[in-house]
Amino acid sequence: LNIADVFMKIMFDEKSDNKNKGPRQTPLWTPEKLDEAGKRAGQAQAWARKARMGELKKDPFEALAVEGELRYYSIIVAMTVAVAYGNATPRALTMMGLGSADGTLMEFAKIPAFALLAAGLGSGLVNAIVFAPPKRRNSFVWGIKGLMGGPLAVGQLRELEKLKTVGESEAE
């Protein structure tokens, strides 16, 4: 036997009936399966819509960003604290001819710095504990804003309305 005879025997064997011996070809998507998949997709969409209705509406004030007047307040507080408690301040004041050797001016500068720090801390606590929860606002965000922006952040939060859910805003 040579190679050509073996090839011909394999290819054109008399026992071969040329029928498809593979797996039965059935469609994956029958009408019943399509109906079932459509029903499941509709249920998933209804669940997602219902979950979205309960979410709080997006509000630009809910971002953890200290902007505008809050930023200016925090810069003023930082500069006041740096001047009042800085180690180089007494030397700088004496070089400018404004300070004295006993440091009485420095003691007076510490009073407004401490008051501004206390106002910031108190505002952060009041925002986070008292004003933010009833308005459905994020207590952490408004606590940080109160800490950085002081009484200005309290005023800003008091002016805001209660945060509404997506469902409540669509109902109006």
Side-chain angles (χ1 to χ4, degrees):
L1 288 174
N2 63 17
I3 294 177
D5 292 334
V6 173
F7 177 74
M8 292 301 278
K9 184 165 178 82
I10 292 173
M11 292 303 288
F12 302 106
D13 192 11
E14 292 138 30
K15 295 178 184 174
S16 174
D17 59 358
N18 290 334
K19 290 185 179 176
N20 187 0
K21 300 289 185 182
R24 186 171 171 233
Q25 300 294 320
T26 57
L28 295 175
W29 294 103
T30 62
E32 294 82 20
K33 287 185 179 179
L34 285 171
D35 289 344
E36 186 179 315
K39 188 184 294 184
R40 275 187 300 210
Q43 288 171 345
Q45 288 173 353
W47 175 82
R49 191 177 309 112
K50 196 183 302 182
R52 202 179 99 238
M53 291 293 188
E55 286 180 1
L56 292 176
K57 199 172 173 189
K58 301 291 182 204
D59 188 10
F61 289 104
E62 288 299 299
L64 185 55
V66 179
E67 298 172 337
E69 58 190 14
L70 303 180
R71 181 179 293 172
Y72 297 133
Y73 179 85
S74 65
I75 290 170
I76 290 170
V77 169
M79 290 173 51
T80 306
V81 169
V83 168
Y85 292 101
N87 290 334
T89 304
R91 187 175 304 143
L93 288 175
T94 0
M95 289 174 68
M96 289 188 287
L98 298 174
S100 60
D102 60 357
T104 55
L105 184 61
M106 290 303 300
E107 293 302 317
F108 286 121
K110 289 181 181 180
I111 295 170
F114 181 73
L116 289 172
L117 285 174
L121 183 63
S123 298
L125 290 173
V126 166
N127 268 356
I129 297 170
V130 177
F131 292 128
K135 292 191 175 202
R136 293 183 180 171
R137 301 285 176 165
N138 188 333
S139 293
F140 177 75
V141 168
W142 282 99
I144 297 296
K145 283 186 175 188
L147 186 65
M148 299 299 290
L152 299 176
V154 173
Q156 189 178 44
L157 180 57
R158 289 183 73 183
E159 290 174 1
L160 294 176
E161 295 178 4
K162 182 178 179 181
L163 201 58
K164 296 179 181 178
T165 62
V166 174
E168 291 171 346
S169 64
E170 286 180 3
E172 291 178 350

